Amino acid sequence: MTGKKWLGRIGALGILALLRMTAVAAGASGALIEGVWLTNTKSEMTIAPCAEGYCGYISKIVVPDHIVAEYGDELKAIGTSYTDDNNKDPKLRDRPIQGLKILTLRPGNNPWSFEGEIYNPEDGNVYSGSVEVLGADNLRLKGCVLYVLCQEQEWTRVVRAAN
């Protein structure tokens, strides 16, 4: 059977299943979700096992353009010492953004889905959320208010060059 005929018979669902099997093989030493992920603002998130299941921590900060436009010179004065100023709890506002836990996830119904909470340091709110691993190097994060108003982002795995 030629490649085109084979591809035609397997279809889109089969390709998705193959991607997920590849992801399972690639992640055999841990869950598919574990690793360092590049967000759409070019910040990096590290997702690792924790007491709650899997937690995501900000491991590299890149300030989004809309924040730079809004605060400009004030950001330059802060340097890299960003804190959780928008937190609803005043006692937590001095904690650094670098290393901040913003994802708390539990495994879902299959090895590539996770559900839990997402903390957004830009507005200080916690949202219900989910993560779906789309392949070995891609995932989709979804955060919702009242399960109706939702936003999604796709992240890619950060692959570090071997030394």
Side-chain angles (χ1 to χ4, degrees):
M1 183 178 293
T2 68
K4 285 185 180 181
K5 285 183 182 176
W6 178 81
L7 192 58
R9 286 184 184 215
I10 193 167
L13 290 177
I15 291 170
L16 183 58
L18 283 174
L19 282 172
R20 289 191 169 150
M21 286 189 299
T22 303
V24 169
S29 62
L32 300 174
I33 197 169
E34 290 180 49
V36 180
W37 299 91
L38 185 68
T39 71
N40 34 349
T41 63
K42 305 302 181 208
S43 290
E44 292 181 8
M45 295 292 305
T46 299
I47 300 177
C50 65
E52 298 94 338
Y54 293 93
C55 294
Y57 304 88
I58 298 174
S59 46
K60 178 183 175 187
I61 301 169
V62 174
V63 180
D65 291 338
H66 71 278
I67 301 287
V68 172
E70 185 176 345
Y71 295 102
D73 291 337
E74 291 179 49
L75 283 178
K76 290 178 186 170
I78 294 171
T80 58
S81 302
Y82 302 112
T83 57
D84 193 13
D85 288 341
N86 295 321
N87 198 295
K88 302 300 181 200
D89 183 346
K91 293 179 277 187
L92 298 177
R93 292 181 183 157
D94 289 334
R95 63 185 181 169
I97 293 291
Q98 183 80 24
L100 184 66
K101 178 172 77 170
I102 68 165
L103 295 175
T104 305
L105 302 166
R106 297 168 301 284
N109 296 332
N110 56 56
W112 52 85
S113 69
F114 301 83
E115 297 177 2
E117 292 79 39
I118 301 168
Y119 172 68
N120 181 356
E122 287 185 36
D123 64 14
N125 290 316
V126 177
Y127 299 95
S128 61
S130 63
V131 171
E132 179 184 9
V133 178
L134 303 174
D137 296 324
N138 299 88
L139 61 76
R140 179 180 300 123
L141 175 78
K142 182 177 183 179
C144 299
V145 176
L146 303 174
Y147 297 99
V148 179
L149 302 171
C150 300
Q151 290 188 350
E152 293 183 355
Q153 292 184 7
E154 288 195 16
W155 295 355
T156 56
R157 186 179 300 278
V158 174
V159 179
R160 305 274 189 229
N163 291 336

